[in-house]
């Protein structure tokens, strides 16, 4: 996922809307980019030095909000791109946040739990001046989870007093929200079900493929399987598998959780395939739920699915997107499809601020209408003006963020 790609999608909308140079300029560049050196003592006594980032893109509509990624490919450009996407995502679902993103350039699989904790706490020390419950609220992303958020909350609270609302995606025992773990995947699955029906495909019996059976991919697969859809191809960092009869999704997720490498590989009763075969699967629905930039133009040329629902952030490169749209493939873009997570993060933050907690049913009952409204609004713009769904979603987001930016003043 590059910043250039995000800007191409953004400019597509700003040029259609004719917002003018002044607004366009304000909407493009991040408002603050923080880069820190995170040095920790490793278990063997050596020194580990890592680069950490926090980028705050736009806070016209509310405090900055966005995940924190631990991955060896994290760099300034990627974090800028992901921060910008968060601005548009929070606007599409109409929650009162801006956009931010952070990350540390590290392969966490090479670190012990104690090293990970030291790294997370040291990173928090470095960024505590720019985050806060009313300023910027991090959340989990690739390779970070409730435990990571617990360490950040604890470390931040040492400076500022007990502050659960400084991060979301916390464990339930530490002021987390019911339903948060499943929320992103739930939103992806709901968008998948709505879009399948819009395409005239009955979800019961529809086939789907998922790249990445982590947090997002596993929950999306579970909910789609519960609706009767069949997972026939799946893969992750370890490799790819095919089973035309359909995987037992619960058994597959249990296998990943028990596998020390956290991969689908080694699951019994499936054929091993390569990425090229996986991505070319003839399925109704393809869900990229791993990393950005996987659907390039040459990859898109081989794809045979009818619908793509973007669980991952930025999985589709702009030229691949255009080619797929031309070929009639419907794409539910990331800024809509995976917005269930940040919407539920918003619920968590509201509960933290009110010190009043909701049941899982309350959370899910509030999540679905927000996502449904966003899905329908994007669909309406797409249908009325004959735009693809990504352009429609960006138009909707730019309209909201642009208005807020102008009203607040420069
Ligand atoms: P995760 O760490 O739980 O899972 C990541 C998955 O990607 C794993 O299955 C992993 O094996 C796979 N993966 C990693 N490298 C890969 C590679 N080179 N090739 C194929 N697969 C690979 O992360 P997650 O939280 O499920 O996030 C997945 C995507 O969803 C990311 O793009 C993230 O930005 C996006 N997202 C997550 C949330 C959330 O709430 N967790 C919200 C919005 C968007």
């Amino acid at each position: 996922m590059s910043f250039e790609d995000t800007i191409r999608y953004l400019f597509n909308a700003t040029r259609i809307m004719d917002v003018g140079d002044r607004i366009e300029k304000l909407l493009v560049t991040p408002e603050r980019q923080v880069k820190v050196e995170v040095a920790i003592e490793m278990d063997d006594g050596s020194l580990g030095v890592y680069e950490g980032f926090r980028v705050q893109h736009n806070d016209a509509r509310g405090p900055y909000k966005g995940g924190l990624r631990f991955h060896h490919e994290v760099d300034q450009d990627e974090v800028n791109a992901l921060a910008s996407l968060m601005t548009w995502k929070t606007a599409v679902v109409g929650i009162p946040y801006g956009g931010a993103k952070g990350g540390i350039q590290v392969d966490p699989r090479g670190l012990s739990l104690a090293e990970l904790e030291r790294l997370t706490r040291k990173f928090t020390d470095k960024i505590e001046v720019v985050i806060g419950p009313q300023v910027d609220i991090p959340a989990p992303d690739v390779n970070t989870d409730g435990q990571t958020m617990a360490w950040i909350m604890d470390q931040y609270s040492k400076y500022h007093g007990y502050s659960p609302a400084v991060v979301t995606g916390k464990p339930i025992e530490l002021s987390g929200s019911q339903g948060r773990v499943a929320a992103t995947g739930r939103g992806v699955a709901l968008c998948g079900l709505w879009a399948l029906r819009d395409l005239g495909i009955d979800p019961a019996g529809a086939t789907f493929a998922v790249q990445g059976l982590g947090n997002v991919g596993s929950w999306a697969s579970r909910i789609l399987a519960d609706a009767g859809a069949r997972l026939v191809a799946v893969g992750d960092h370890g490799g790819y598998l095919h089973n035309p009869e359909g995987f037992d999704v619960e058994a597959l997720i249990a296998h990943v959780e028990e596998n020390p490498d956290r991969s689908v590989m080694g699951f019994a009763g499936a054929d091993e395939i390569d990425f090229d075969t996986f991505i070319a699967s003839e399925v109704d629905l393809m869900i990229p739920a791993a990393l950005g930039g996987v659907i390039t133009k040459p990859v898109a040329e081989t794809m045979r699915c009818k619908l793509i629902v973007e669980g991952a952030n930025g999985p589709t490169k702009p030229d691949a997107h255009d080619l797929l749209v031309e070929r009639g493939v419907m794409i539910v873009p990331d800024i809509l499809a995976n917005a269930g997570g940040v919407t539920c993060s918003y619920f968590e933050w509201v509960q933290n601020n009110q010190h009043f907690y909701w049941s899982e049913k309350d959370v899910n009952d509030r999540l679905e209408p927000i996502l449904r409204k966003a899905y329908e609004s994007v669909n309406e713009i797409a249908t009325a003006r004959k735009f693809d769904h990504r352009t429609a979603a960006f138009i909707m987001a730019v309209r909201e963020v642009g208005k807020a930016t102008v009203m607040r003043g420069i």
Side-chain angles (χ1 to χ4, degrees):
M1 177 77 213
S2 74
F3 192 52
E4 196 189 327
D5 290 351
T6 317
I7 291 187
R8 261 184 70 180
Y9 289 137
L10 173 66
F11 280 175
N12 222 355
T14 53
R15 307 268 149 96
I16 288 168
M17 297 166 79
D18 199 15
V19 299
D21 283 356
R22 279 165 66 89
I23 300 296
E24 202 172 79
K25 247 183 212 145
L26 285 174
L27 298 182
V28 172
T29 15
E31 289 167 359
R32 184 187 275 147
Q33 301 174 58
V34 178
K35 183 176 168 197
V36 295
E37 179 188 83
V38 194
I40 57 162
E41 184 155 344
M42 307 304 281
D43 292 347
D44 64 4
S46 65
L47 183 73
V49 181
Y50 302 91
E51 274 185 356
F53 305 89
R54 187 71 189 169
V55 172
Q56 299 171 334
H57 177 261
N58 184 293
D59 69 345
R61 300 181 56 262
Y64 300 106
K65 182 89 188 84
L68 189 63
R69 177 177 293 198
F70 289 179
H71 196 269
H72 60 279
E73 282 169 4
V74 164
D75 61 20
Q76 187 73 63
D77 187 71
E78 184 188 64
V79 183
N80 286 354
L82 293 168
S84 168
L85 278 187
M86 286 306 297
T87 300
W88 315 121
K89 192 181 301 184
T90 51
V92 165
V93 282
I95 55 173
Y97 284 138
K101 200 80 183 191
I104 302 181
Q105 195 180 81
V106 58
D107 182 356
R109 282 173 303 179
L111 266 58
S112 70
L113 194 66
E115 287 166 342
L116 262 183
E117 177 173 352
R118 287 198 288 278
L119 182 69
T120 307
R121 287 186 185 277
K122 194 69 176 282
F123 179 63
T124 310
D125 289 341
K126 300 270 173 168
I127 64 162
E128 60 82 21
V129 284
V130 295
I131 62 171
Q134 302 302 326
V135 184
D136 180 0
I137 306 133
D141 192 70
V142 175
N143 293 330
T144 56
D145 57 15
Q147 176 61 77
T148 324
M149 296 305 115
W151 290 326
I152 297 177
M153 183 199 92
D154 183 69
Q155 194 67 12
Y156 181 87
S157 295
K158 287 177 183 165
Y159 295 93
H160 303 276
Y162 186 64
S163 312
V166 68
V167 282
T168 57
K170 298 179 292 294
I172 299 289
E173 299 79 1
L174 277 178
S175 310
S177 176
Q178 300 288 342
R180 173 61 184 90
V181 174
T184 308
R186 182 176 300 283
V188 170
L190 287 172
C191 286
L193 295 171
W194 296 329
L196 282 170
R197 288 192 193 106
D198 285 347
L199 291 172
I201 302 168
D202 185 355
T207 53
F208 70 105
V210 176
Q211 185 196 35
L213 211 68
N215 172 276
V216 178
S218 63
W219 280 100
S221 300
R222 247 184 201 127
I223 294 164
L224 284 166
D226 284 349
R230 200 152 37 97
L231 176 66
V232 293
V234 67
D236 57 24
H237 67 277
Y240 294 86
L241 298 174
H242 177 238
N243 179 354
E245 304 305 317
F247 286 90
D248 176 339
V249 170
E250 283 306 332
L252 183 62
I253 293 170
H255 168 83
V256 172
E257 279 165 5
E258 285 156 20
N259 184 345
D261 194 35
R262 312 279 298 173
S263 170
V264 294
M265 298 313 282
F267 186 69
D271 302 323
E272 273 188 41
I273 52 173
D274 59 14
F275 171 77
D276 294 346
T277 313
F278 164 81
I279 205 76
S281 300
E282 199 167 352
V283 285
D284 295 309
L285 164 61
M286 172 65 71
I287 302 179
L291 301 175
V294 285
I295 304 180
T296 58
K297 196 171 177 196
V299 164
E301 275 161 3
T302 70
M303 290 179 80
R304 292 183 296 166
C305 59
K306 300 185 179 91
L307 166 68
I308 297 171
V309 177
E310 295 182 339
N313 284 310
T316 314
K317 304 285 283 178
D319 48 1
H321 171 265
D322 295 347
L323 183 106
L324 288 161
V325 167
E326 237 174 70
R327 282 189 18 214
V329 178
M330 179 176 174
I331 303 177
V332 184
D334 45 12
I335 58 173
L336 168 62
N338 68 34
V342 74
T343 305
C344 196
S345 274
Y346 165 59
F347 296 160
E348 181 176 333
W349 181 74
V350 168
Q351 294 169 76
N352 292 157
N353 285 321
Q354 294 182 339
H355 306 281
F356 179 76
Y357 288 84
W358 311 346
S359 69
E360 187 173 353
K361 183 175 180 313
D362 288 339
V363 169
N364 292 339
D365 285 353
R366 288 174 209 249
L367 182 65
E368 185 164 340
I370 290 180
L371 296 179
R372 179 74 202 177
K373 184 167 165 242
Y375 177 86
E376 276 173 4
S377 305
V378 168
N379 231 351
E380 254 173 54
I381 299 174
T383 313
R385 313 244 340 241
K386 296 202 168 32
F387 293 136
D388 60 82
H389 289 77
R390 190 184 319 271
T391 304
F394 266 88
I395 286 175
M396 194 170 139
V398 166
R399 195 172 59 205
E400 296 309 309
V401 179
K403 275 194 289 196
T405 305
V406 171
M407 284 189 280
R408 288 186 65 163
I410 292 166

